[in-house]
Amino acid sequence: CINDCFYEMSYGIDADGFGTGNGKNATATGVGSILQRAGVYIHLEQITPWLPTFSFGMDAEGAISSYRQGSSSTGSQMEYDLLSRNNGFNTGRSGQGMNVNWNDRSLNAIGIPGRIREFQMVMGTIGEGDDGLSSNKDSGGNFSFHLEVEPFSQVKSKWIQGIGFEVGGWFCRSERFSTTDNGCTRLRLQDNGDGARQTLWDSGDVLGPGWSHFFMPGFQWEIGPYRLRAVGGFQRYDGGGRKQDSLVGKTVGQNFLIGHDLYLWSPKGWLTGSATAPGSVLFGTHFERNDVDCNAGGGRDFGGSGCTGAGFNRNTVLVREWDLWYFIANRMSIGVNVLWYDAKNLPVAARQNLGIGSKTSSSTKGGDWVDMNLNWRYVF
């Protein structure tokens, strides 16, 4: 920090390429920067609350929704919803970019007894390039925004104080059908977890050229130890969909998610607790439905090669999740996550790996399976 943190700089080391040499990725197939994040922050809000924090640098931080997961460190849900995690946006990281951010600003000045929790606008290579790298774009851009408002946070009534609304958007442009350094030329669904993820549906890296749009509105209600979350996601590729002549429709995706978090117990008693209170027990569950189609308007499910040769163009994937966490220290917890997946259609490779239905044909189109995860997390 410089000048009482009016200027601030932060950086992070990327350890993915351990043992492969500085700047290489985990498989030593690409060379980027050993830095994962290097950002400069100028806190203009110290001049007046009406001004934002301005930042620029490597891996600029972008947001699309606070309610889609709740919190990776204090909520119960293990991962983001399948659509926003796999449509290219994911965490909102960018190779390089800049943003303006208004955080925790009171709305009393305009007569609203609440606050803007976050208003952010980003311009950068979201979902593109490697750390610190740009993408080969002829024109256009890549932009995102996120607005989260808690309009009653300063009201003393516990019944409405925890109500929040949000909306996020991502606008990404592709100049050509296939480009490996562009975040919006592909839409796919994969199951969660960082090991051996199954591809459940894949458009292939062939979408464009033109704009893609992703919007995610959300609602949250928090009262005492309980929190309700609800979000929807709407993905559209407006540039002509897939380039294959046999697939004339546009590629689309949409989903909704409803989640619940409840602190069951802490040393203070039943239905108490928080992420900062060691001994707290957090229970959570969520349901989500994800619908994708690489030939919207074409009216065809099975037939032809489908998306990337899978034999089908559309898919519906349901996820039901149950979570139980125990906080062993301030913001440190261990937990068990159980995820029950149900897919209308599955590629042959996924059926072979999961042991579901026919291993060689589409006679048995889909199926369901259960994943269990043991997790440890700590934010300090």
Side-chain angles (χ1 to χ4, degrees):
C1 291
I2 302 175
N3 293 349
D4 294 326
C5 277
F6 184 78
Y7 303 100
E8 180 184 357
M9 182 175 179
S10 67
Y11 67 91
I13 300 295
D14 189 344
D16 291 347
F18 178 77
T20 61
N22 288 357
K24 292 186 178 181
N25 61 15
T27 59
T29 57
V31 179
S33 171
I34 195 171
L35 284 176
Q36 186 172 41
R37 173 170 294 168
V40 175
Y41 303 83
I42 304 174
H43 293 275
L44 301 175
E45 74 275 11
Q46 293 186 15
I47 300 175
T48 170
W50 296 101
L51 292 177
T53 299
F54 172 70
S55 65
F56 62 92
M58 295 171 51
D59 197 5
E61 302 175 31
I64 199 77
S65 168
S66 295
Y67 305 156
R68 58 177 174 160
Q69 186 182 13
S71 170
S72 61
S73 59
T74 62
S76 65
Q77 186 175 320
M78 187 183 75
E79 262 292 357
Y80 299 132
D81 61 285
L82 298 190
L83 183 63
S84 68
R85 191 187 183 199
N86 292 279
N87 67 352
F89 190 89
N90 197 3
T91 63
R93 63 157 299 280
S94 62
Q96 59 178 331
M98 56 185 178
N99 68 35
V100 289
N101 210 329
W102 288 264
N103 280 326
D104 198 18
R105 305 299 171 90
S106 174
L107 293 172
N108 279 337
I110 59 175
I112 298 177
R115 63 172 181 162
I116 294 177
R117 185 169 183 177
E118 178 178 76
F119 178 44
Q120 179 191 85
M121 294 185 292
V122 179
M123 181 177 69
T125 55
I126 300 172
E128 302 174 7
D130 205 344
D131 299 325
L133 300 182
S134 59
S135 59
N136 296 319
K137 279 192 168 185
D138 302 323
S139 61
N142 198 332
F143 310 91
S144 74
F145 75 90
H146 178 240
L147 172 63
E148 182 180 347
V149 179
E150 296 176 346
F152 310 112
S153 62
Q154 298 178 45
V155 175
K156 293 185 179 180
S157 172
K158 66 178 181 178
W159 297 102
I160 63 174
Q161 190 178 55
I163 291 177
F165 303 91
E166 69 170 0
V167 62
W170 179 37
F171 308 88
C172 179
R173 181 173 176 83
S174 172
E175 282 76 27
R176 44 197 183 275
F177 276 111
S178 181
T179 169
T180 57
D181 57 7
N182 194 306
C184 53
T185 60
R186 184 180 195 175
L187 176 61
R188 61 178 171 175
L189 295 183
Q190 294 178 297
D191 61 357
N192 284 319
D194 291 329
R197 297 179 66 194
Q198 302 294 324
T199 295
L200 313 178
W201 182 93
D202 193 353
S203 71
D205 192 18
V206 293
L207 300 178
W211 285 97
S212 78
H213 311 268
F214 179 58
F215 293 98
M216 193 165 226
F219 168 80
Q220 175 177 277
W221 180 49
E222 189 171 1
I223 178 170
Y226 171 72
R227 176 172 57 179
L228 166 70
R229 300 176 290 110
V231 298
F234 306 91
Q235 176 76 62
R236 297 293 183 272
Y237 295 83
D238 295 337
R242 288 166 57 88
K243 65 181 179 181
Q244 287 90 332
D245 293 336
S246 60
L247 293 177
V248 296
K250 292 185 177 182
T251 297
V252 300
Q254 57 196 30
N255 76 344
F256 71 87
L257 179 150
I258 299 176
H260 308 271
D261 298 294
L262 177 65
Y263 280 96
L264 296 176
W265 189 85
S266 79
K268 295 182 178 180
W270 292 102
L271 299 181
T272 64
S274 72
T276 59
S280 297
V281 177
L282 173 63
F283 171 77
T285 181
H286 94 269
F287 171 83
E288 66 181 86
R289 173 180 175 134
N290 303 271
D291 295 287
V292 285
D293 192 340
C294 66
N295 188 28
R300 183 174 63 185
D301 190 359
F302 274 76
S305 60
C307 296
T308 62
F312 56 90
N313 305 319
R314 297 177 291 197
N315 207 356
T316 296
V317 181
L318 310 179
V319 182
R320 301 168 180 89
E321 179 177 338
W322 297 269
D323 314 283
L324 189 64
W325 295 91
Y326 177 76
F327 287 85
I328 56 180
N330 183 0
R331 295 183 179 270
M332 179 190 292
S333 57
I334 56 174
V336 176
N337 312 99
V338 180
L339 293 92
W340 176 19
Y341 297 90
D342 191 341
K344 178 181 178 182
N345 303 312
L346 282 173
V348 171
R351 280 185 252 130
Q352 290 175 339
N353 293 333
L354 295 169
I356 296 173
S358 172
K359 311 305 186 295
T360 58
S361 70
S362 300
S363 58
T364 303
K365 301 177 181 180
D368 65 294
W369 67 100
V370 175
D371 285 350
M372 298 184 65
N373 301 272
L374 177 64
N375 283 306
W376 173 86
R377 60 188 184 181
Y378 183 32
V379 174
F380 53 91

